[in-house]
């Protein structure tokens, strides 16, 4: 299913007509500042100089967070940008065709959120972030640079998010939160790595997941509502900025979350209670366990499932 593409959407129209529907949409022609024209490889290299950045390096294009098929390395920012823009490397860590990926983090990744104004202040001057939410809802602005061909694993975030494609092109595949049962989850991530050629012997239910897709050009902004799964391929070397904001009241979120991917505290508590309930069922013989587990599933469906969106 193609994701809707809309041009000339102002804040008021977004909040009135688009935001309440909780569906992804590509916003075109938004005012993003001088970054869309200025951010060439040479400009990026000299703008932030040789400060060190921690990057993902992968020998293969498809990065897998669950099996950790990549390594973390540190490079000066200018060297990293030049390398990420090359297809073959004279200097490399794993192989001459390795892929690079920068996901900016706070000064202390365990405590501080990513904020382009703090980590990349010179580049932040060039960006006009679309403020379609209140200032106090702002959570983080994550600066990203990817080699051509790099694919990020399918995952969801617990906050609403604008993916601002500043330069380069991306393909984004999305799945509704409703299709979680077909995505073989491990935490916030899907085990189905290759969404184009999935292993259906291993993941037979994946065929039931409804696929949404869009292609982002430089200057496009993709609205990804919280809990929507997304899988991203950088079709070219490119620079992007994610802006996350709090859709729920601030106290709903885990205070120790710096990435925007820890489940809301009420959800975490509910899952712990469910785990305890399942442990309690283990005191019964198998046929009783099966019977009461089915009754619990029915209770959950009656109480919590929504039927009003497709």
């Amino acid at each position: 299913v193609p994701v809707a593409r809309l041009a000339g959407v102002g804040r008021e129209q977004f909040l009135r007509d688009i935001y309440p529907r909780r569906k992804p949409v590509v916003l075109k022609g938004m005012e993003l500042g001088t970054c869309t024209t200025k951010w060439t490889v040479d400009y990026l290299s000299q703008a932030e100089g040789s400060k060190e950045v921690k990057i993902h390096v992968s020998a293969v294009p498809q990065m897998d967070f669950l099996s950790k098929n990549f390594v973390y390395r540190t490079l000066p920012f200018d060297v990293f940008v030049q390398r990420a823009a090359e297809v073959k490397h004279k200097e490399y860590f794993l192989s001459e065709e390795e892929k690079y990926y920068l996901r900016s983090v706070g000064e202390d990744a365990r405590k501080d959120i990513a904020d382009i104004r703090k980590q990349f202040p010179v580049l932040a001057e060039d960006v006009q972030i679309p403020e379609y939410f209140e200032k106090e809802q702002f959570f983080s602005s994550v600066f990203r640079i990817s080699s051509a061909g790099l694919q990020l694993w399918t995952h969801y975030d617990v906050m609403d998010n604008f993916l601002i494609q500043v330069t380069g092109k991306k393909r984004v595949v999305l799945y509704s939160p409703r299709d979680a049962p077909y995505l073989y989850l491990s935490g916030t991530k899907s085990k189905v790595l290759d969404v184009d050629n999935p292993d259906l012997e291993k993941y037979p239910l994946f065929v039931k997941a409804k696929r949404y897709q869009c292609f982002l050009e430089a200057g496009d902004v993709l609205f990804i509502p919280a809990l929507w799964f997304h899988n991203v391929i950088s079709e070219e070397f490119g620079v992007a900025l994610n802006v996350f904001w709090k859709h729920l009241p601030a106290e709903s979120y885990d205070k120790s979350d710096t990435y925007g991917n820890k489940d809301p505290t009420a959800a975490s508590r509910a899952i712990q209670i469910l785990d305890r309930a399942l442990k309690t069922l283990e005191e019964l013989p198998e046929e009783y366990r099966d019977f009461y587990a089915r009754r619990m599933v029915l209770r959950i469906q009656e109480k919590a499932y929504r039927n009003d969106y497709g």
Side-chain angles (χ1 to χ4, degrees), residues 5-21 25-28 30 132 162 223:
R5 305 176 71 82
L6 300 170
V9 175
R11 183 178 192 266
E12 214 171 279
Q13 190 192 348
F14 176 77
L15 292 174
R16 186 187 64 228
D17 302 336
I18 298 166
Y19 197 50
R21 294 181 62 221
V25 64
V26 178
L27 305 169
K28 298 191 68 65
M30 290 178 82
Y132 283 25
F162 276 149
F223 167 53

Side-chain angles (χ1 to χ4, degrees), residues 114-128:
D115 185 341
I116 189 173
R117 293 166 298 191
K118 291 180 184 159
Q119 285 98 44
F120 298 93
V122 178
L123 295 175
E125 293 286 310
D126 303 334
V127 186
Q128 194 176 314

Side-chain angles (χ1 to χ4, degrees), residues 24 144 152-159 161 163 171-176 183 188 190 195 212 222 224-233 242 244:
R144 299 180 193 269
L152 275 186
W153 53 87
T154 306
H155 67 284
Y156 72 87
D157 302 293
V158 300
M159 294 187 196
N161 162 14
L163 169 53
R171 184 198 80 175
V172 186
V173 172
L174 303 112
Y175 300 96
S176 156
L183 297 178
T188 60
S190 168
V195 294
Y212 293 77
L222 172 61
I224 306 175
L227 309 183
W228 273 76
F229 295 87
H230 42 288
N231 177 291
V232 182
I233 293 183
N242 276 101
F244 291 93

Side-chain angles (χ1 to χ4, degrees), residues 134-154:
E134 299 301 325
K135 277 203 171 20
E136 60 273 15
Q137 286 177 278
F138 172 83
F139 176 71
S140 66
S141 49
V142 181
F143 184 64
R144 299 180 193 269
I145 297 183
S146 304
S147 293
L150 185 84
Q151 183 169 14
L152 275 186
W153 53 87
T154 306

Side-chain angles (χ1 to χ4, degrees), residues 216-267:
L216 299 181
E217 308 271 335
D220 287 350
V221 176
L222 172 61
F223 167 53
I224 306 175
L227 309 183
W228 273 76
F229 295 87
H230 42 288
N231 177 291
V232 182
I233 293 183
S234 296
E235 303 210 314
E236 303 172 339
F237 164 79
V239 184
L241 183 66
N242 276 101
V243 183
F244 291 93
W245 70 91
K246 296 169 183 172
H247 169 55
L248 307 176
E251 63 275 12
S252 307
Y253 298 100
D254 186 320
K255 296 278 183 289
S256 68
D257 188 3
T258 56
Y259 285 85
N261 62 6
K262 286 192 179 178
D263 292 317
T265 48

